[in-house]
Amino acid sequence: MITLTINGETTEVEDGKTILQACLERGVDVPYYCYHEDIGIDGNCRMCLVEVNGNTDKLTISCKQPCGEGMDIQTESPEVKKARKGVLEFYLINHPLDCTICDEAGQCPLQDYAYRHGPGDSRFVEEKRHADKRVEFSDKVLFDAERCILCTRCTRFFENVRDSRPIGVCEMGGKSTITLGPNGKIEDPYQLNIVDICPVGALTSRAQRFMQRVWFMDFAETVCPGCSKGCNIQAGAYQGQLKRFEPRRNADVNKSWMCDDGRLSFDTYNLDDRVRGFRALGADATIEQAVAAVRKAVGDGAGVAVLASTKNTCEELFAIRTWAQGKGVTTLWHGASTWAGDDFLKQDDATPNTAGAVALGFVPVPADATAPRGLIVAGDVDIPEHLLDGLDFLVVQAPQVGMLAEGATVLLPGRTAMEKRGTWINHQGIRQEVRPALDPGAGVPADWALWRDLADAGWPSFAHLRAATDEALAGVVPSGGAPAGDVVETSA
Ligand code: SF4
Ligand code: SF4
Protein backbone atom coordinates (compact mmCIF):
# COMPACT_ATOMS: atom_id res chain seq x y z
CA MET A 1 0.00 0.00 0.00
CA ILE A 2 1.04 3.59 -0.65
CA THR A 3 0.34 6.44 1.77
CA LEU A 4 -0.37 9.85 0.25
CA THR A 5 -2.60 12.87 0.73
CA ILE A 6 -5.45 14.05 -1.49
CA ASN A 7 -6.59 17.60 -0.80
CA GLY A 8 -4.94 17.43 2.63
CA GLU A 9 -6.47 14.11 3.66
CA THR A 10 -4.10 11.23 4.26
CA THR A 11 -5.16 7.97 2.64
CA GLU A 12 -3.82 4.55 1.70
CA VAL A 13 -3.88 3.46 -1.93
CA GLU A 14 -3.24 0.05 -3.47
CA ASP A 15 0.04 -0.31 -5.37
CA GLY A 16 -0.31 0.27 -9.11
CA LYS A 17 -3.30 2.64 -8.95
CA THR A 18 -3.13 5.91 -10.83
CA ILE A 19 -3.94 9.23 -9.17
CA LEU A 20 -7.23 9.43 -11.10
CA GLN A 21 -8.28 5.95 -9.96
CA ALA A 22 -7.38 6.79 -6.36
CA CYS A 23 -9.43 10.01 -6.54
CA LEU A 24 -12.47 8.38 -8.16
CA GLU A 25 -12.49 5.53 -5.64
CA ARG A 26 -12.63 8.12 -2.85
CA GLY A 27 -15.38 10.18 -4.47
CA VAL A 28 -13.06 13.08 -5.31
CA ASP A 29 -14.46 14.85 -8.37
CA VAL A 30 -11.78 14.90 -11.08
CA PRO A 31 -13.22 15.47 -14.57
CA TYR A 32 -12.01 13.26 -17.43
CA TYR A 33 -13.07 12.17 -20.91
CA CYS A 34 -10.63 9.74 -22.49
CA TYR A 35 -10.04 7.39 -19.55
CA HIS A 36 -12.42 4.43 -19.24
CA GLU A 37 -11.93 1.68 -16.71
CA ASP A 38 -12.67 -1.10 -19.23
CA ILE A 39 -10.80 0.41 -22.18
CA GLY A 40 -7.72 1.78 -20.53
CA ILE A 41 -5.61 4.89 -20.27
CA ASP A 42 -4.70 7.19 -23.13
CA GLY A 43 -4.02 10.61 -21.64
CA ASN A 44 -5.19 12.62 -24.64
CA CYS A 45 -8.03 14.76 -23.29
CA ARG A 46 -5.97 16.73 -20.70
CA MET A 47 -9.08 17.18 -18.58
CA CYS A 48 -7.86 15.32 -15.49
CA LEU A 49 -5.00 17.68 -14.57
CA VAL A 50 -4.04 17.81 -10.88
CA GLU A 51 -1.26 19.41 -8.88
CA VAL A 52 1.36 17.06 -7.41
CA ASN A 53 3.79 18.04 -4.65
CA GLY A 54 3.12 21.75 -5.12
CA ASN A 55 4.36 21.79 -8.73
CA THR A 56 2.18 24.49 -10.25
CA ASP A 57 4.43 25.06 -13.29
CA LYS A 58 3.63 21.67 -14.71
CA LEU A 59 0.34 20.10 -13.72
CA THR A 60 0.04 16.31 -14.01
CA ILE A 61 -2.53 14.29 -15.99
CA SER A 62 -3.86 12.13 -13.19
CA CYS A 63 -5.04 9.25 -15.40
CA LYS A 64 -1.50 8.32 -16.42
CA GLN A 65 0.47 9.09 -13.27
CA PRO A 66 0.84 6.18 -10.82
CA CYS A 67 0.45 7.05 -7.16
CA GLY A 68 3.71 7.45 -5.28
CA GLU A 69 4.63 7.21 -1.60
CA GLY A 70 4.15 10.51 0.22
CA MET A 71 2.57 12.34 -2.74
CA ASP A 72 0.68 15.54 -1.96
CA ILE A 73 -2.16 15.77 -4.52
CA GLN A 74 -4.36 18.83 -4.95
CA THR A 75 -7.42 18.59 -7.20
CA GLU A 76 -8.96 21.97 -6.39
CA SER A 77 -6.02 24.40 -6.23
CA PRO A 78 -6.35 27.74 -8.09
CA GLU A 79 -3.89 26.51 -10.76
CA VAL A 80 -5.87 23.29 -11.35
CA LYS A 81 -9.16 25.17 -11.62
CA LYS A 82 -7.61 27.64 -14.06
CA ALA A 83 -6.18 24.83 -16.20
CA ARG A 84 -9.55 23.01 -16.31
CA LYS A 85 -11.25 26.19 -17.41
CA GLY A 86 -8.67 26.59 -20.18
CA VAL A 87 -9.07 23.00 -21.41
CA LEU A 88 -12.85 23.34 -21.45
CA GLU A 89 -12.61 26.65 -23.28
CA PHE A 90 -10.64 24.89 -26.02
CA TYR A 91 -13.23 22.11 -26.27
CA LEU A 92 -16.06 24.60 -26.50
CA ILE A 93 -14.39 26.65 -29.24
CA ASN A 94 -15.40 24.10 -31.84
CA HIS A 95 -18.05 22.01 -30.16
CA PRO A 96 -21.45 23.01 -31.64
CA LEU A 97 -24.02 24.39 -29.22
CA ASP A 98 -26.75 22.03 -30.37
CA CYS A 99 -27.60 20.58 -26.98
CA THR A 100 -31.25 21.34 -27.65
CA ILE A 101 -31.37 18.70 -30.39
CA CYS A 102 -28.64 16.38 -29.11
CA ASP A 103 -29.53 12.94 -27.75
CA GLU A 104 -26.70 13.17 -25.23
CA ALA A 105 -28.20 16.22 -23.52
CA GLY A 106 -28.93 15.45 -19.90
CA GLN A 107 -26.25 12.76 -19.70
CA CYS A 108 -23.35 14.62 -21.33
CA PRO A 109 -20.08 15.10 -19.43
CA LEU A 110 -19.24 18.08 -21.66
CA GLN A 111 -22.42 19.82 -20.51
CA ASP A 112 -21.82 18.79 -16.91
CA TYR A 113 -18.16 19.80 -16.83
CA ALA A 114 -18.85 23.08 -18.63
CA TYR A 115 -21.35 23.82 -15.85
CA ARG A 116 -19.20 22.60 -12.96
CA HIS A 117 -15.69 23.49 -14.12
CA GLY A 118 -16.02 25.69 -17.23
CA PRO A 119 -15.27 29.39 -17.70
CA GLY A 120 -18.96 30.34 -17.85
CA ASP A 121 -18.52 32.50 -20.94
CA SER A 122 -16.68 32.45 -24.26
CA ARG A 123 -14.07 34.76 -25.75
CA PHE A 124 -14.38 33.08 -29.13
CA VAL A 125 -15.89 35.38 -31.76
CA GLU A 126 -14.68 33.55 -34.88
CA GLU A 127 -16.66 31.05 -36.93
CA LYS A 128 -16.72 27.56 -35.38
CA ARG A 129 -15.23 24.70 -37.37
CA HIS A 130 -17.88 22.89 -39.40
CA ALA A 131 -17.84 19.21 -40.28
CA ASP A 132 -20.12 16.45 -41.51
CA LYS A 133 -22.97 15.94 -39.04
CA ARG A 134 -24.36 12.67 -40.40
CA VAL A 135 -21.76 10.10 -41.33
CA GLU A 136 -23.12 6.55 -41.65
CA PHE A 137 -20.69 4.37 -39.72
CA SER A 138 -23.05 1.41 -40.12
CA ASP A 139 -26.73 0.53 -40.26
CA LYS A 140 -26.74 1.01 -36.47
CA VAL A 141 -24.45 3.99 -35.73
CA LEU A 142 -24.28 7.57 -37.03
CA PHE A 143 -21.30 9.88 -36.47
CA ASP A 144 -21.48 13.67 -36.03
CA ALA A 145 -17.96 14.93 -36.70
CA GLU A 146 -18.67 18.42 -35.34
CA ARG A 147 -19.53 17.09 -31.91
CA CYS A 148 -16.53 14.74 -31.64
CA ILE A 149 -13.93 15.77 -29.04
CA LEU A 150 -11.42 13.15 -30.26
CA CYS A 151 -11.12 11.32 -26.99
CA THR A 152 -10.59 8.09 -29.03
CA ARG A 153 -12.66 5.98 -26.68
CA CYS A 154 -14.51 4.57 -29.70
CA THR A 155 -11.38 3.55 -31.61
CA ARG A 156 -9.79 2.12 -28.47
CA PHE A 157 -12.94 0.10 -27.72
CA PHE A 158 -12.44 -1.76 -30.97
CA GLU A 159 -8.67 -2.04 -30.59
CA ASN A 160 -8.49 -2.99 -26.92
CA VAL A 161 -11.77 -4.80 -26.34
CA ARG A 162 -12.74 -6.24 -29.73
CA ASP A 163 -9.29 -6.62 -31.29
CA SER A 164 -10.33 -4.89 -34.52
CA ARG A 165 -9.89 -1.52 -36.23
CA PRO A 166 -13.01 -0.62 -38.20
CA ILE A 167 -12.48 3.10 -37.40
CA GLY A 168 -9.49 5.27 -36.65
CA VAL A 169 -8.23 8.86 -36.43
CA CYS A 170 -7.13 10.54 -39.65
CA GLU A 171 -5.73 13.97 -40.57
CA MET A 172 -3.85 16.24 -38.15
CA GLY A 173 -4.43 19.23 -35.91
CA GLY A 174 -7.77 20.96 -36.32
CA LYS A 175 -8.69 18.66 -39.19
CA SER A 176 -8.37 15.47 -37.16
CA THR A 177 -11.46 13.33 -37.23
CA ILE A 178 -12.68 9.78 -36.75
CA THR A 179 -13.03 7.92 -40.01
CA LEU A 180 -13.99 4.49 -41.30
CA GLY A 181 -11.31 1.99 -42.22
CA PRO A 182 -10.94 0.26 -45.60
CA ASN A 183 -14.03 -1.86 -44.96
CA GLY A 184 -16.21 1.23 -45.24
CA LYS A 185 -18.49 0.27 -42.37
CA ILE A 186 -18.55 -1.14 -38.86
CA GLU A 187 -19.88 -4.70 -38.72
CA ASP A 188 -19.08 -5.62 -35.13
CA PRO A 189 -22.07 -7.16 -33.23
CA TYR A 190 -21.05 -5.15 -30.13
CA GLN A 191 -20.67 -1.80 -31.93
CA LEU A 192 -23.44 0.03 -30.06
CA ASN A 193 -21.24 0.10 -26.98
CA ILE A 194 -19.34 2.98 -28.61
CA VAL A 195 -22.52 5.05 -28.41
CA ASP A 196 -22.56 4.56 -24.61
CA ILE A 197 -18.92 5.39 -24.08
CA CYS A 198 -18.79 8.42 -26.38
CA PRO A 199 -18.76 11.24 -23.80
CA VAL A 200 -20.64 13.59 -26.13
CA GLY A 201 -23.39 13.12 -28.71
CA ALA A 202 -21.00 12.39 -31.59
CA LEU A 203 -22.09 8.76 -31.88
CA THR A 204 -25.79 7.95 -31.86
CA SER A 205 -27.81 4.77 -32.25
CA ARG A 206 -30.02 4.92 -35.32
CA ALA A 207 -32.66 2.85 -33.52
CA GLN A 208 -32.85 5.29 -30.63
CA ARG A 209 -32.08 8.74 -32.05
CA PHE A 210 -34.58 11.37 -31.01
CA MET A 211 -36.71 8.73 -29.30
CA GLN A 212 -36.92 10.17 -25.81
CA ARG A 213 -35.12 12.64 -23.55
CA VAL A 214 -33.21 10.87 -20.81
CA TRP A 215 -34.77 12.94 -18.02
CA PHE A 216 -38.30 11.86 -18.95
CA MET A 217 -37.50 8.15 -18.57
CA ASP A 218 -37.67 5.90 -15.53
CA PHE A 219 -34.75 3.49 -15.26
CA ALA A 220 -34.76 0.07 -13.61
CA GLU A 221 -31.50 -1.62 -12.72
CA THR A 222 -32.04 -5.15 -13.92
CA VAL A 223 -30.55 -7.92 -16.08
CA CYS A 224 -30.80 -8.57 -19.82
CA PRO A 225 -33.04 -11.59 -20.44
CA GLY A 226 -31.50 -12.26 -23.87
CA CYS A 227 -29.16 -15.11 -22.91
CA SER A 228 -27.57 -16.93 -20.01
CA LYS A 229 -24.76 -14.36 -19.68
CA GLY A 230 -27.14 -12.06 -17.79
CA CYS A 231 -25.53 -8.74 -18.68
CA ASN A 232 -26.40 -6.09 -16.11
CA ILE A 233 -28.48 -3.35 -17.68
CA GLN A 234 -30.52 -0.24 -17.07
CA ALA A 235 -33.91 -0.48 -18.75
CA GLY A 236 -35.36 2.94 -19.57
CA ALA A 237 -39.14 3.33 -19.91
CA TYR A 238 -41.43 6.19 -20.72
CA GLN A 239 -45.19 6.05 -20.18
CA GLY A 240 -45.26 2.25 -19.95
CA GLN A 241 -43.09 1.63 -23.02
CA LEU A 242 -39.48 0.51 -22.97
CA LYS A 243 -37.25 2.92 -24.87
CA ARG A 244 -33.76 1.61 -24.27
CA PHE A 245 -31.47 -0.97 -22.72
CA GLU A 246 -28.00 0.17 -21.71
CA PRO A 247 -25.23 -1.82 -20.01
CA ARG A 248 -24.61 -1.37 -16.30
CA ARG A 249 -21.11 -2.18 -15.13
CA ASN A 250 -20.51 -5.50 -13.42
CA ALA A 251 -16.84 -6.45 -13.39
CA ASP A 252 -17.65 -10.15 -12.90
CA VAL A 253 -20.25 -10.51 -15.64
CA ASN A 254 -20.25 -8.05 -18.53
CA LYS A 255 -17.87 -5.27 -17.46
CA SER A 256 -19.34 -2.20 -19.22
CA TRP A 257 -20.67 -3.99 -22.30
CA MET A 258 -23.65 -5.74 -23.84
CA CYS A 259 -24.32 -7.20 -27.30
CA ASP A 260 -26.32 -5.31 -29.90
CA ASP A 261 -28.93 -8.08 -30.18
CA GLY A 262 -29.69 -7.91 -26.49
CA ARG A 263 -29.69 -4.12 -26.49
CA LEU A 264 -32.04 -3.80 -29.44
CA SER A 265 -34.50 -6.36 -28.05
CA PHE A 266 -36.10 -3.76 -25.76
CA ASP A 267 -39.06 -3.20 -28.06
CA THR A 268 -40.11 -6.87 -27.95
CA TYR A 269 -41.28 -6.30 -24.38
CA ASN A 270 -43.76 -3.60 -25.41
CA LEU A 271 -46.72 -5.93 -25.93
CA ASP A 272 -49.93 -4.98 -27.75
CA ASP A 273 -51.56 -8.38 -27.59
CA ARG A 274 -51.09 -9.39 -24.01
CA VAL A 275 -53.13 -11.85 -21.98
CA ARG A 276 -55.21 -10.00 -19.39
CA GLY A 277 -57.41 -11.85 -16.98
CA PHE A 278 -58.21 -15.57 -17.01
CA ARG A 279 -59.96 -18.01 -19.33
CA ALA A 280 -61.22 -21.49 -18.54
CA LEU A 281 -62.89 -23.92 -20.95
CA GLY A 282 -63.18 -21.26 -23.62
CA ALA A 283 -64.83 -18.57 -21.50
CA ASP A 284 -63.62 -15.63 -19.44
CA ALA A 285 -63.13 -16.64 -15.82
CA THR A 286 -62.27 -15.22 -12.44
CA ILE A 287 -59.01 -16.22 -10.80
CA GLU A 288 -60.98 -18.50 -8.46
CA GLN A 289 -62.68 -20.25 -11.40
CA ALA A 290 -59.37 -20.63 -13.21
CA VAL A 291 -57.67 -22.06 -10.11
CA ALA A 292 -60.57 -24.49 -9.61
CA ALA A 293 -60.38 -25.57 -13.26
CA VAL A 294 -56.64 -26.24 -12.99
CA ARG A 295 -57.11 -28.27 -9.79
CA LYS A 296 -59.87 -30.36 -11.32
CA ALA A 297 -57.90 -31.07 -14.48
CA VAL A 298 -54.69 -31.98 -12.64
CA GLY A 299 -56.44 -34.26 -10.13
CA ASP A 300 -53.88 -36.40 -8.32
CA GLY A 301 -51.13 -35.27 -10.69
CA ALA A 302 -50.67 -38.65 -12.41
CA GLY A 303 -49.50 -38.26 -16.00
CA VAL A 304 -49.16 -34.49 -15.69
CA ALA A 305 -45.97 -32.60 -16.66
CA VAL A 306 -44.82 -29.03 -16.11
CA LEU A 307 -42.85 -27.26 -18.82
CA ALA A 308 -41.40 -24.06 -17.34
CA SER A 309 -39.69 -21.25 -19.19
CA THR A 310 -36.18 -20.48 -18.05
CA LYS A 311 -37.11 -16.81 -18.20
CA ASN A 312 -38.93 -17.47 -14.92
CA THR A 313 -37.05 -16.25 -11.88
CA CYS A 314 -35.72 -18.66 -9.28
CA GLU A 315 -38.51 -17.52 -6.98
CA GLU A 316 -41.18 -18.27 -9.59
CA LEU A 317 -39.64 -21.65 -10.36
CA PHE A 318 -39.57 -22.45 -6.67
CA ALA A 319 -43.25 -21.48 -6.45
CA ILE A 320 -44.07 -23.67 -9.47
CA ARG A 321 -42.14 -26.56 -7.94
CA THR A 322 -43.97 -26.12 -4.65
CA TRP A 323 -47.30 -26.21 -6.49
CA ALA A 324 -46.26 -29.33 -8.44
CA GLN A 325 -45.06 -31.17 -5.33
CA GLY A 326 -48.34 -30.37 -3.58
CA LYS A 327 -50.35 -31.81 -6.48
CA GLY A 328 -48.32 -34.98 -7.01
CA VAL A 329 -46.81 -33.74 -10.28
CA THR A 330 -43.31 -35.16 -10.53
CA THR A 331 -42.30 -34.32 -14.09
CA LEU A 332 -40.62 -30.90 -14.10
CA TRP A 333 -39.17 -29.89 -17.44
CA HIS A 334 -37.54 -26.65 -18.46
CA GLY A 335 -37.79 -25.32 -21.99
CA ALA A 336 -34.75 -24.75 -24.14
CA SER A 337 -34.29 -21.85 -26.50
CA THR A 338 -31.05 -21.30 -28.34
CA TRP A 339 -29.36 -18.91 -30.74
CA ALA A 340 -25.81 -18.49 -31.98
CA GLY A 341 -23.56 -17.33 -29.18
CA ASP A 342 -20.03 -16.03 -29.57
CA ASP A 343 -16.73 -15.99 -27.70
CA PHE A 344 -17.26 -12.61 -26.02
CA LEU A 345 -20.50 -12.29 -24.04
CA LYS A 346 -23.36 -13.85 -25.97
CA GLN A 347 -24.18 -17.43 -24.95
CA ASP A 348 -25.88 -20.15 -27.05
CA ASP A 349 -28.60 -20.48 -24.38
CA ALA A 350 -31.03 -17.67 -25.25
CA THR A 351 -32.68 -17.65 -21.82
CA PRO A 352 -31.39 -16.11 -18.60
CA ASN A 353 -32.08 -18.71 -15.92
CA THR A 354 -31.39 -22.26 -17.07
CA ALA A 355 -28.89 -22.62 -14.23
CA GLY A 356 -31.60 -21.58 -11.74
CA ALA A 357 -34.05 -24.10 -13.19
CA VAL A 358 -31.48 -26.90 -12.99
CA ALA A 359 -30.59 -25.94 -9.41
CA LEU A 360 -34.28 -26.24 -8.51
CA GLY A 361 -34.69 -29.68 -10.05
CA PHE A 362 -36.07 -28.94 -13.52
CA VAL A 363 -34.61 -31.03 -16.35
CA PRO A 364 -34.59 -30.58 -20.14
CA VAL A 365 -37.37 -32.36 -22.02
CA PRO A 366 -35.88 -35.82 -22.81
CA ALA A 367 -35.56 -36.54 -26.53
CA ASP A 368 -37.77 -39.62 -26.18
CA ALA A 369 -40.45 -37.97 -24.01
CA THR A 370 -44.00 -38.80 -25.02
CA ALA A 371 -47.00 -36.55 -24.59
CA PRO A 372 -48.24 -36.49 -21.00
CA ARG A 373 -51.93 -36.69 -19.97
CA GLY A 374 -51.89 -33.00 -19.17
CA LEU A 375 -49.33 -30.27 -19.69
CA ILE A 376 -48.80 -27.12 -17.62
CA VAL A 377 -46.81 -24.53 -19.55
CA ALA A 378 -45.36 -21.85 -17.28
CA GLY A 379 -44.16 -18.80 -19.17
CA ASP A 380 -42.81 -17.96 -22.56
CA VAL A 381 -41.27 -21.20 -23.90
CA ASP A 382 -40.83 -23.12 -27.16
CA ILE A 383 -42.82 -26.37 -26.86
CA PRO A 384 -41.77 -29.52 -28.72
CA GLU A 385 -44.80 -30.21 -30.95
CA HIS A 386 -45.04 -33.91 -30.10
CA LEU A 387 -45.77 -33.03 -26.46
CA LEU A 388 -49.09 -31.58 -27.59
CA ASP A 389 -50.33 -34.80 -29.25
CA GLY A 390 -53.43 -36.24 -27.56
CA LEU A 391 -53.38 -34.14 -24.42
CA ASP A 392 -56.40 -34.35 -22.13
CA PHE A 393 -55.80 -30.77 -21.07
CA LEU A 394 -53.39 -27.91 -21.52
CA VAL A 395 -52.84 -25.11 -18.99
CA VAL A 396 -50.89 -22.14 -20.35
CA GLN A 397 -49.54 -19.22 -18.40
CA ALA A 398 -48.36 -16.68 -20.94
CA PRO A 399 -47.80 -12.94 -21.27
CA GLN A 400 -48.87 -12.85 -24.90
CA VAL A 401 -51.84 -14.10 -26.88
CA GLY A 402 -50.75 -16.76 -29.35
CA MET A 403 -51.95 -19.96 -30.99
CA LEU A 404 -51.10 -22.03 -27.95
CA ALA A 405 -52.76 -19.61 -25.58
CA GLU A 406 -55.91 -19.66 -27.67
CA GLY A 407 -56.08 -23.46 -27.59
CA ALA A 408 -55.48 -23.79 -23.85
CA THR A 409 -58.00 -25.47 -21.54
CA VAL A 410 -57.08 -22.87 -18.94
CA LEU A 411 -55.26 -19.66 -19.79
CA LEU A 412 -53.47 -17.74 -17.06
CA PRO A 413 -51.85 -14.30 -17.53
CA GLY A 414 -48.08 -14.05 -17.21
CA ARG A 415 -45.46 -11.37 -17.00
CA THR A 416 -42.61 -10.68 -19.38
CA ALA A 417 -39.03 -10.72 -18.22
CA MET A 418 -39.19 -6.93 -17.95
CA GLU A 419 -42.09 -7.08 -15.49
CA LYS A 420 -40.66 -9.71 -13.14
CA ARG A 421 -38.85 -9.54 -9.88
CA GLY A 422 -36.59 -12.05 -8.23
CA THR A 423 -33.27 -13.57 -9.24
CA TRP A 424 -31.72 -15.35 -12.20
CA ILE A 425 -28.57 -17.49 -12.09
CA ASN A 426 -26.31 -16.93 -15.06
CA HIS A 427 -24.10 -19.49 -16.81
CA GLN A 428 -21.24 -18.63 -14.43
CA GLY A 429 -23.40 -19.51 -11.43
CA ILE A 430 -23.86 -15.87 -10.37
CA ARG A 431 -27.33 -15.16 -8.93
CA GLN A 432 -28.46 -11.65 -9.88
CA GLU A 433 -31.34 -9.38 -8.95
CA VAL A 434 -34.06 -8.84 -11.54
CA ARG A 435 -36.29 -5.79 -11.11
CA PRO A 436 -39.39 -4.73 -13.02
CA ALA A 437 -38.97 -1.96 -15.57
CA LEU A 438 -42.64 -2.01 -16.59
CA ASP A 439 -45.93 -2.42 -14.77
CA PRO A 440 -48.26 -4.61 -16.86
CA GLY A 441 -51.31 -3.03 -15.25
CA ALA A 442 -54.63 -4.59 -14.30
CA GLY A 443 -55.39 -8.25 -14.94
CA VAL A 444 -51.81 -9.48 -14.80
CA PRO A 445 -50.90 -10.54 -11.26
CA ALA A 446 -47.27 -11.19 -10.36
CA ASP A 447 -46.34 -14.71 -11.48
CA TRP A 448 -45.13 -15.68 -8.02
CA ALA A 449 -48.46 -14.60 -6.51
CA LEU A 450 -50.40 -16.62 -9.07
CA TRP A 451 -48.47 -19.82 -8.31
CA ARG A 452 -48.88 -19.14 -4.60
CA ASP A 453 -52.63 -19.01 -5.09
CA LEU A 454 -52.60 -22.18 -7.17
CA ALA A 455 -50.46 -23.93 -4.56
CA ASP A 456 -52.37 -22.63 -1.56
CA ALA A 457 -48.91 -21.80 -0.25
CA GLY A 458 -48.52 -19.64 2.81
CA TRP A 459 -46.21 -16.94 1.52
CA PRO A 460 -47.82 -13.66 2.56
CA SER A 461 -45.33 -11.59 0.61
CA PHE A 462 -42.57 -11.82 -1.95
CA ALA A 463 -40.01 -11.51 0.84
CA HIS A 464 -41.31 -14.75 2.38
CA LEU A 465 -41.12 -16.57 -0.95
CA ARG A 466 -37.64 -15.15 -1.39
CA ALA A 467 -36.52 -16.51 1.96
CA ALA A 468 -37.91 -19.96 1.09
CA THR A 469 -36.14 -19.86 -2.28
CA ASP A 470 -32.88 -18.79 -0.66
CA GLU A 471 -33.14 -21.85 1.58
CA ALA A 472 -33.78 -24.11 -1.41
CA LEU A 473 -30.78 -22.58 -3.17
CA ALA A 474 -28.55 -22.60 -0.10
CA GLY A 475 -25.01 -21.82 -1.16
CA VAL A 476 -26.01 -19.84 -4.27
CA VAL A 477 -25.68 -16.35 -2.89
CA PRO A 478 -27.44 -13.49 -4.68
CA SER A 479 -25.08 -10.77 -5.82
CA GLY A 480 -25.18 -7.45 -7.55
CA GLY A 481 -28.36 -5.94 -6.21
CA ALA A 482 -30.56 -4.76 -3.40
CA PRO A 483 -32.22 -7.28 -1.09
CA ALA A 484 -35.70 -8.38 -2.08
CA GLY A 485 -37.39 -6.17 0.46
CA ASP A 486 -36.12 -3.06 -1.35
CA VAL A 487 -37.87 -3.93 -4.60
CA VAL A 488 -41.09 -2.01 -5.17
CA GLU A 489 -43.89 -4.39 -6.18
CA THR A 490 -45.94 -3.48 -9.21
CA SER A 491 -49.62 -4.38 -9.37
CA ALA A 492 -49.97 -7.89 -8.01
S1 SF4 B 1 -16.77 9.90 -31.59
FE1 SF4 B 1 -17.09 10.13 -29.38
S2 SF4 B 1 -15.91 8.43 -28.50
FE2 SF4 B 1 -15.17 8.70 -30.58
S3 SF4 B 1 -13.43 10.07 -30.40
FE3 SF4 B 1 -15.24 11.35 -30.85
S4 SF4 B 1 -15.97 11.99 -28.84
FE4 SF4 B 1 -14.59 10.26 -28.48
S1 SF4 C 1 -24.82 -11.10 -24.21
FE1 SF4 C 1 -26.79 -12.01 -23.65
S2 SF4 C 1 -27.33 -11.07 -21.69
FE2 SF4 C 1 -25.69 -9.83 -22.63
S3 SF4 C 1 -26.77 -8.22 -23.76
FE3 SF4 C 1 -26.42 -9.89 -25.19
S4 SF4 C 1 -28.27 -11.10 -25.06
FE4 SF4 C 1 -28.28 -9.80 -23.28
Side-chain angles (χ1 to χ4, degrees), residues 79-142:
E79 286 76 11
V80 170
K81 287 182 178 174
K82 186 175 170 209
R84 276 183 199 153
K85 278 190 172 60
V87 173
L88 275 165
E89 188 173 16
F90 269 117
Y91 278 121
L92 294 169
I93 279 176
N94 279 319
H95 192 82
L97 296 180
D98 56 3
C99 306
T100 47
I101 55 156
C102 179
D103 281 284
E104 195 73 358
Q107 53 183 9
C108 172
L110 187 55
Q111 273 186 335
D112 294 345
Y113 294 164
Y115 179 72
R116 289 213 302 269
H117 306 288
D121 53 18
S122 172
R123 294 175 290 169
F124 191 70
V125 293
E126 294 82 3
E127 180 77 10
K128 280 179 187 275
R129 182 196 65 170
H130 292 292
D132 202 336
K133 290 190 74 67
R134 198 178 190 284
V135 184
E136 297 193 2
F137 271 3
S138 71
D139 56 354
K140 295 177 186 165
V141 175
L142 289 178

Side-chain angles (χ1 to χ4, degrees), residues 6 18-30 73 75:
I6 300 176
T18 64
I19 294 176
L20 180 63
Q21 288 166 339
C23 289
L24 296 177
E25 283 171 10
R26 284 153 188 78
V28 177
D29 178 24
V30 177
I73 298 157
T75 68

Side-chain angles (χ1 to χ4, degrees), residues 190 224-231 258-259 261-263 339 345-347:
Y190 289 83
C224 174
C227 79
S228 58
K229 173 51 82 175
C231 293
M258 70 186 297
C259 76
D261 287 339
R263 182 192 298 262
W339 64 1
L345 296 177
K346 201 170 158 189
Q347 304 297 305

